[in-house]
Amino acid sequence: MMQKKTWIAATAASAMAVGLAACTPSGGDSAESGEITWAIGGARSQPGAAHDQIADLWNEANPDTPVTVEALPESADEAREQQALVLQAGGSEFDVLGLDVVWTGEYVENDWIVELDDLRGELDAAVLPGPMESSSWSGSLWAVPLNTNTGVLYYRTDLVEEAPSDWEALCQAASELDDSMSGYIGQGARYEGFTVNWLELYWSAGGELYNEDQSEVLFDVDTATEVTSFVAEATQNGCFAPGFNTAMEEESRIAYQSGDVAFMRNWPGPYSLIAEDTESPAHEATAVAPLPGFDGNPGVAAIGGFNNAISAFSENQEVAKDFVVWAATDPEVQQILAENSTLPVLSSAYENSDDPLITQLGEVLQTAQPRPSVPAWNEISLEIQSTIFPAVNGEMDPRAAAEQLAEFLEGTVAE
Amino acid sequence: MSTTIRTQPPPRLRRLPGHGLTDVALARLFIAPSVLVMAAVVLFPIGFALVTSLRSYTRRQVDGFAGLANYATVLSDPAFWAAMRFTGLFTVTSVALEFVIGLAFALLMNHARRGRGMTRAVILVPWVIPTVVAGQMWAFMFNINPGFINSLLGLDDFNWLGSAGWATVTVIAADVWKTAPFAALLLLAGLQTIPAELYESARMDGAGAWQRFRHVTLPLLRPAIMVALLFRTVDAVRVYDLPQVMTGGAFGTESLSMLVRQFIVITPDPGIGAALSTITFALVLGVGVLFVSQIGRSMVEGGSTR
Amino acid sequence: MSTVNGTRVRRRSGGEWLHDGLLVVVFLWCLAPFVWLILTSLKQGDAALNDPDLLQGPFGLGNYVAVLAQDFALNMRNSFAVASMATLLSVSIGVMAAYALARLPVRRRIALMTGVLAASLFPPVALVPPLYEAWRTFGLLNTYEGMYLAYVSFSLPLVIFIMSTFFAAIPRELEESAKIDGASALQAFARVILPLAIPGVVSAMILTFVTAWNEYLLASTFAPRNPEIAQTVPVAIATFTGAVEYQRPIGTITAASVLVTIPMIILALLLQRRIVAGLTAGAVKG
């Protein structure tokens, strides 16, 4: 008897499910002419966040050609894959594509985006050169910068008098700290952030990956070995915090904010979180400075951020072009970005700012360098992670790692 | 779809057509929907992948026929062998632990006198937490910053996820925590097919608890054990979420599926990705066939000996 | 009833103490991390969330408010619909196939079982690009159908294998005596065998439902956005971001996980009676 009841209950539950699932609720709106879709990832694409505010601003002024934000995942790989699936199928769902600074070459090679050389005139004078460089590939402009980003050194003003100018000074200061504290943390986990952190060191020591048009490899094995050995030693001797090799941006912030380390490499984004945390020992005792270099030379930071490109399959390319230029050059848009813990690409935003942090970051950006946006960037970055990361962690000889990387880089040019 | 109607509740049965179906016709009718669904949804992508694995690509664009070159590339890639090593170690260790713990849980639940309902619900908790979330949770707990596990165990700065052997241990521990209940549930279903009289008569014959387990439970539970091991093993060989979220593949924790994803998503080369998937598939299938022949045999025996 | 020892006289022996002790271990094993999840979800603010001391407050319901403000109820609805349909379909057609494989005259039984299993063994990551293209062509992206069809193909083999072993364990005499009484093969299955297999069916339902409920990879590809249409819970949780770039929203993630786990626990509590019910000796006698 029990079984019969059970069976009936199960059937009833199933019937309910059918009723519920019979049709997928319809939502969303069909594209009308003139409407454009902006597919961009990250925290600032959440409802009500910076990208929404920018879209609202545009829609007020252009009610006939409104823009809708399609929020892609925060993870760069996943955001790129969602764009790739649509573009690979020749889909016209996305008009404006938010590109991470290292994707340009790959998108060009896949014929996914349109060339934008005719927009140069409006941009060259107004927009920072670094982001413009990251939007270019083989001599042409393929995207328009939206926001930029750069690595900086956070330090505890209550523990050191001034920011260390080079790594030797930083590790010296670290050794004088209280035993309960470590010196430095950065992004040392095995992911794109590791590549960025290591490249900053390598650039600071005078190294380069390629020449200007990426036709020739300039990789220097000696410099790479030196830099890698430095990190390996610093990890061993405690200058770098024990959690360095598993830290991404968030773990770095947690370590710094809870007072475990005196120095941190991070983007400017977390600054506001640290400054607002009244319980943190770093609260009111934090300043940012340019990254340290080697032998008294200043450090070189890497550029991050988003550029807007236009889909080759967009049915509204003219509107899309107007939108991306407007987003790069409208002071109000750039102000929204500055207020949302990221950095404007408009030069005048730095000159006219009365925020000392923004002015300071403007100076860092003068010397900051983009990663080469070659089509094979991800392959290169993975190779750096599979050679240099083990070397830093004592599982591979630094010179052997550098030599293997050099060989790989030569292969990317020979193609 | 029309065939599914035939499994409706008994009262209407008499009026349904098919009253006079022969056993053979019924068998065909019963198997057809499953075969159709599997063919419709999965066969095409697998065929697609097999073809893809024979082509050469420049990034995402096809540029010719590659023959077996993609397979050669994969087999000569040290990253592939490293992934094989981790995947093998992960599979053997996690399946063994999950089986032992799952069996213990299942026996306990089957014999529970008090709190049986609660136990059965509670045991599902680890398993119903989405894997992506569980991975993040364990990564966060094991991470040196802020260091929950370390402060719980009184370890100061132990870097679980940042040292070679321990990273693997951590990933396996998270998987065992999460999936042992799955094994338990499968084994519990099997335990309930064992008639209580068999235990009673074994008891009458003077068999102790261990002897009853050894001579009644284990042999009769064999089909369920095989099913549990089969599905845990084929899932473990394809493990992706946990190591991806917890370590990102650092310190020798990159699995075969993570490598497949690298060639499909991160550094796209569909030819290599498909070749790698096909190799993984062949491995999993090899394991699967071994189990299925065992299960098939015990099913035939189980049906005929009574 | 089926439970062993069910009628024995109550008396706490050493064995019982051991038994209860082991139960405590099971509870700890399953619940300790869940307690961590709940406490973390109640923590307010960055400092508390990132403090290694689990009892470091302040506590409050802020994370739950934030989660529910994000259309999370719609995500739950989508997950429930997709998982229910996947369960219903795969269990109903899987049970039939399993019965046929276990009991009916089927040629190449093992080959068929291997074939069905094999079809689900391809690494799911590699299925995504071709399935995406196909689903796009058939208009199945951003629909429930697109997801549950795929999930049925993932879970069918498991259902078939569980149920075949279950059916195989049911004595053949039951069908034979039904047939002597004049029942057809179909009637013997539906009236005699299926009711006995309910505990197995319920186990298979739970396994299928939870697998579909937790699936991330395909869901994030087929319906990555729009909770009002088809985005499921794990995908929604993965899209949670902090107020600031790179900030890990551990508070809302844990709150959302607790919210999705509660209906599962209720479901398990409701269904667990069915797992125990019937079958084996008692049922056979009846």
Side-chain angles (χ1 to χ4, degrees), chain B residues 104-120 188 192 200 203 209 212, chain C residues 1-24 27 272-273 276:
Chain B
F105 280 15
L107 289 170
L108 204 58
M109 285 195 289
N110 198 37
H111 293 274
R113 250 160 282 169
R114 295 186 297 135
R116 189 191 343 225
M118 228 18 232
T119 319
R120 287 199 169 109
L188 180 63
Q192 278 153 7
E200 286 303 328
R203 200 192 302 273
R212 270 175 281 152
Chain C
M1 291 304 291
S2 64
T3 47
V4 190
N5 304 337
T7 53
R8 290 175 71 210
V9 183
R10 298 242 156 203
R11 168 175 63 87
R12 296 191 67 80
S13 63
E16 277 186 46
W17 283 108
L18 178 71
H19 190 270
D20 289 355
L22 287 173
L23 272 184
V24 171
F27 270 65
Q272 58 85 19
R273 288 174 184 283
V276 214

Side-chain angles (χ1 to χ4, degrees), chain A residues 95-352:
Chain A
D95 300 285
V96 177
L97 306 163
L99 264 54
D100 194 306
V101 287
V102 287
W103 300 347
T104 319
E106 188 196 353
Y107 276 52
V108 172
E109 191 160 286
N110 289 334
D111 298 324
W112 286 346
I113 55 179
V114 298
E115 187 231 83
L116 301 170
D117 271 339
D118 53 328
L119 304 179
R120 256 188 204 285
E122 298 170 70
L123 300 168
D124 271 342
V127 174
L128 295 172
M132 285 298 278
E133 192 188 330
S134 73
S135 302
S136 307
W137 172 243
S138 63
S140 291
L141 186 70
W142 296 90
V144 176
L146 171 71
N147 69 285
T148 188
N149 217 343
T150 185
V152 288
L153 184 75
Y154 289 65
Y155 68 99
R156 289 277 294 276
T157 52
D158 55 335
L159 299 173
V160 289
E161 303 211 332
E162 56 176 358
S165 63
D166 63 12
W167 287 100
E168 205 180 324
L170 186 145
C171 284
Q172 180 59 40
S175 66
E176 288 160 13
L177 290 168
D178 193 79
D179 272 354
S180 65
M181 279 186 86
S182 297
Y184 168 86
I185 199 155
Q187 290 74 55
R190 205 186 87 165
Y191 77 118
E192 178 71 16
F194 176 83
T195 305
V196 170
N197 277 239
W198 184 81
L199 267 184
E200 288 176 337
L201 290 163
Y202 174 70
W203 286 334
S204 303
E208 286 292 339
L209 292 180
Y210 293 102
N211 66 347
E212 205 148 290
D213 64 352
Q214 277 112 12
S215 61
E216 201 187 320
V217 174
L218 299 180
F219 188 75
D220 184 61
V221 172
D222 290 336
T223 312
T225 308
E226 240 169 77
V227 164
T228 308
S229 307
F230 162 73
V231 181
E233 263 168 50
T235 310
Q236 282 291 313
N237 68 23
C239 172
F240 283 21
F244 175 74
N245 65 5
T246 50
M248 301 197 206
E249 284 85 353
E250 180 74 347
E251 287 80 11
S252 308
R253 177 179 72 85
I254 294 170
Y256 181 83
Q257 198 167 329
S258 59
D260 289 346
V261 292
F263 304 101
M264 163 176 76
R265 183 265 177 219
N266 214 325
W267 311 94
Y271 186 85
S272 59
L273 290 176
I274 297 164
E276 284 160 17
D277 180 2
T278 51
E279 280 162 46
S280 164
H283 168 68
E284 286 185 340
T286 288
V288 301
L291 292 173
F294 286 98
D295 305 324
N297 296 317
V300 178
I303 284 180
F306 276 109
N307 302 320
N308 281 323
I310 292 165
S311 161
F313 310 101
S314 161
E315 283 153 10
N316 264 319
Q317 297 188 352
E318 289 313 308
V319 177
K321 279 185 193 179
D322 289 345
F323 173 75
V324 298
V325 172
W326 169 81
T329 54
D330 185 88
E332 223 178 314
V333 172
Q334 292 292 309
Q335 182 58 34
I336 291 177
L337 292 168
E339 284 163 6
N340 280 275
S341 312
T342 182
L343 296 176
V345 292
L346 194 62
S347 315
S348 60
Y350 296 90
E351 288 146 21
N352 306 334

Side-chain angles (χ1 to χ4, degrees), chain C residues 36-119:
Chain C
W36 180 86
L37 206 66
I38 293 174
L39 283 174
T40 305
S41 72
L42 292 170
K43 288 185 170 197
Q44 301 285 297
D46 217 55
L49 282 167
N50 291 319
D51 195 299
D53 180 2
L54 196 50
L55 297 175
Q56 172 69 48
F59 292 97
L61 290 173
N63 295 319
Y64 289 89
V65 174
V67 167
L68 292 171
Q70 303 190 25
D71 288 335
F72 198 69
L74 292 176
N75 294 125
M76 298 267 271
R77 174 200 67 181
N78 296 337
S79 277
F80 188 75
V82 169
S84 307
M85 277 307 289
T87 306
L88 175 67
L89 267 179
S90 51
V91 171
S92 57
I93 66 179
V95 162
M96 295 193 300
Y99 180 70
L101 286 169
R103 273 304 152 77
L104 297 173
V106 177
R107 267 180 300 163
R108 299 189 206 89
R109 185 191 314 266
I110 290 181
L112 255 175
M113 290 177 80
T114 312
V116 168
L117 179 73

Side-chain angles (χ1 to χ4, degrees), chain B residues 174-255:
Chain B
D175 190 71
V176 170
W177 174 76
K178 178 140 179 52
T179 358
F182 170 86
L185 201 57
L186 278 182
L187 294 172
L188 180 63
L191 281 177
Q192 278 153 7
T193 64
I194 302 175
E197 292 90 26
L198 290 182
Y199 287 109
E200 286 303 328
S201 56
R203 200 192 302 273
M204 304 266 185
D205 295 346
W210 168 251
Q211 282 171 314
R212 270 175 281 152
F213 174 73
R214 179 74 190 72
H215 296 290
V216 180
T217 312
L218 270 190
L220 290 174
L221 196 57
R222 214 178 96 108
I225 291 176
M226 284 296 162
V227 171
L229 287 180
L230 166 64
F231 283 90
R232 275 316 304 145
T233 308
V234 298
D235 271 357
V237 175
R238 296 178 299 164
V239 65
Y240 170 73
D241 290 341
L242 281 180
Q244 174 67 38
V245 176
M246 293 181 68
T247 61
F251 299 105
T253 56
E254 185 166 59
S255 70

Side-chain angles (χ1 to χ4, degrees), chain C residues 227-268:
Chain C
E228 56 282 2
I229 304 179
Q231 187 196 46
T232 60
V233 165
V235 182
I237 294 179
T239 66
F240 288 179
T241 57
V244 167
E245 208 167 19
Y246 300 120
Q247 188 185 7
R248 188 194 299 109
I250 196 80
T252 44
I253 289 177
T254 48
S257 312
V258 173
L259 286 179
V260 300
T261 309
I262 287 168
M264 289 288 125
I265 295 177
I266 294 173
L267 191 74

